[in-house]
Amino acid sequence: MKEDSFMKGLLWNILSPLFSVLLALILGGFVILSLGYNPIEIYAQVIGFALGNPIGWGYVLFNSTSLILAGLAVAVAFKGGLFNIGVEGQLLVGGLLSAVVGLSLPKMPWIIHFPIVLLSAMVGGMIWAGIPGFLKAKLGVHEVINTIMMNWIAYALTNYLVVNVVRETGVVYPLPQTAELPPSATLPRLGGFFQKFGINIPESNPVNASLFISLFMLILVYYLLWRTKIGYEIRAVGSNSLAAENGGINIQRTIIKTMFLSGALAGLASINDVLGYRHRFLDNFSHGLGFTGIAVALLGKNHPVGILFASLLFGALYRMAIGMDVFTHIPREIISILQALIIITVAVGNEIFTRMIMRRRKF
């Protein structure tokens, strides 16, 4: 009986997002039709562009890598009853600190150099998240206000530093950026790795070894939250802080730990671009990645498995948007609106479908 109930629950959890995506595609099709285009032809082109070939899958995995870590950062805070909107600023600070540390260290083996640079990205995110965490724990200041303000400070601070202090000299680039990191501080691309398994992804494809780090962090976060004492404390405080306090859990300390952990994951979200793709810090490289992480966490129901699939969906949407820009005459602004409509519909449709299922179970 329990196994039957478990299988039904698993089936509904799989079917629910699938029906939501289908509903989003139908509604998006009406928007495309209203613009005078054939939605079936458009979808066939952009889905084929994103998912119909190994190169497209390489870009989808590349887009999804940072979203996995950003989504985990938001989800960990959610589990602790905190709303970390500052992932965007935390990954910017973490990315810049990792680049600066990587360029500052003398020549050394990869096995020593890279872990230090990786740790720097985590420390940068931890510091930027720890400040609102400390203010929340000690003074009761709401973390939403502080993390939003910390985002703006991060934008301004990283822009100032990369323009005036750590900018590569003697070279003219369209955007301010640091010098290129040495190979011992970077991650390899995975084109050659996939080719060994007969998957024809070229070496130039941006998917890189940070993909494995993000998947490892998915497993680690799951283990931490559901198999360790600190994970239990975070979930207990997030569920009912008063009951957790009566149970002997130090609320202030747990809030600070939660924000430190969330910030470390946010800082790691920068390595896909800084250490794995460009091998340098580019001013404002994230383009709202941290904010998309909020949508990924919500759609994935703050669970590592859900975040994995939500990240793949959003990674595919990014690639499909580029496909629309390349293969259609739809203006770029309309493409952005259409992409936002699909994201909102997936999120809202998933929730409505889940409530319909739960209501049906009661009868």
Side-chain angles (χ1 to χ4, degrees):
M1 188 68 180
K2 286 185 178 179
E3 289 184 1
D4 184 53
S5 177
F6 173 77
M7 290 305 296
K8 283 184 178 178
L10 182 63
L11 184 63
W12 285 125
N13 284 332
I14 294 173
L15 289 178
S16 170
L18 288 179
F19 275 106
S20 299
V21 171
L22 180 63
L23 177 64
L25 291 176
I26 292 173
L27 292 177
F30 282 115
V31 174
I32 295 174
L33 196 62
S34 69
L35 295 173
Y37 296 91
N38 186 332
I40 297 176
E41 291 181 359
I42 296 294
Y43 280 147
Q45 284 182 322
V46 297
I47 292 175
F49 177 73
L51 304 174
N53 57 83
I55 297 175
W57 268 105
Y59 279 95
V60 170
L61 292 175
F62 170 72
N63 295 336
S64 303
T65 299
S66 297
L67 292 175
I68 289 173
L69 293 163
L72 285 175
V74 177
V76 166
F78 267 134
K79 287 295 182 185
L82 302 166
F83 197 2
N84 183 10
I85 303 181
V87 172
E88 180 78 3
Q90 292 150 24
L91 73 89
L92 284 174
V93 174
L96 182 60
L97 186 61
S98 67
V100 171
V101 170
L103 291 169
S104 303
L105 293 174
K107 188 177 180 180
M108 59 179 67
W110 184 89
I111 194 69
I112 300 174
H113 198 175
F114 182 76
I116 296 175
V117 175
L118 191 69
L119 190 62
S120 302
M122 298 175 70
V123 169
M126 287 173 68
I127 293 172
W128 220 245
I131 296 171
F134 181 83
L135 293 173
K136 169 77 174 183
K138 298 297 182 183
L139 302 176
V141 182
H142 205 291
E143 74 279 3
V144 169
I145 298 171
N146 285 332
T147 50
I148 290 174
M149 293 301 104
M150 293 297 283
N151 279 339
W152 289 109
I153 296 172
Y155 279 130
L157 180 64
T158 55
N159 173 263
Y160 172 80
L161 291 174
V162 79
V163 170
N164 298 289
V165 182
V166 295
R167 185 173 189 167
E168 184 177 20
T169 56
V171 183
V172 178
Y173 291 114
L175 291 174
Q177 51 196 283
T178 65
E180 186 173 359
L181 289 160
S184 58
T186 62
L187 285 164
R189 297 192 180 189
L190 294 178
F193 172 80
F194 283 116
Q195 288 172 15
K196 292 179 182 177
F197 297 94
I199 303 172
N200 190 26
I201 296 180
E203 292 279 358
S204 58
N205 197 286
V207 61
N208 58 78
S210 62
L211 172 65
F212 297 132
I213 295 177
S214 68
L215 295 177
F216 174 75
M217 294 308 298
L218 269 174
I219 300 170
L220 187 63
V221 167
Y222 174 81
Y223 180 82
L224 185 77
L225 286 178
W226 278 276
R227 294 289 186 272
T228 66
K229 180 185 175 184
I230 184 176
Y232 171 78
E233 291 177 346
I234 289 173
R235 289 186 293 115
V237 171
S239 298
N240 190 324
S241 59
L242 184 60
E245 189 172 25
N246 290 332
I249 296 175
N250 188 316
I251 303 298
Q252 292 184 350
R253 193 183 303 162
T254 304
I255 288 174
I256 295 174
K257 286 179 182 177
T258 304
M259 286 303 287
F260 271 145
L261 181 58
S262 178
L265 291 165
L268 273 181
S270 68
I271 66 170
N272 184 39
D273 194 282
V274 176
L275 306 182
Y277 173 41
R278 301 182 196 277
H279 297 170
R280 65 178 76 221
F281 180 89
L282 181 74
D283 186 31
N284 196 21
F285 70 89
S286 64
H287 296 295
L289 188 66
F291 298 113
T292 308
I294 298 172
V296 168
L298 291 173
L299 191 59
K301 298 185 181 301
N302 298 317
H303 192 282
V305 176
I307 287 171
L308 173 63
F309 287 105
S311 299
L312 289 171
L313 173 63
F314 278 69
L317 287 175
Y318 280 162
R319 184 66 177 166
M320 288 166 64
I322 294 174
M324 283 188 182
D325 202 19
V326 172
F327 295 113
T328 73
H329 298 291
I330 300 176
R332 177 175 288 272
E333 291 76 12
I334 300 298
I335 294 171
S336 300
I337 292 172
L338 182 60
Q339 186 182 17
L341 177 65
I342 291 174
I343 293 171
I344 292 171
T345 310
V346 168
V348 176
N350 182 49
E351 192 63 32
I352 292 174
F353 190 75
T354 302
R355 291 186 182 188
M356 288 172 60
I357 294 170
M358 293 178 66
R359 192 176 301 167
R360 185 177 176 182
R361 283 178 178 173
K362 294 179 180 177
F363 292 99

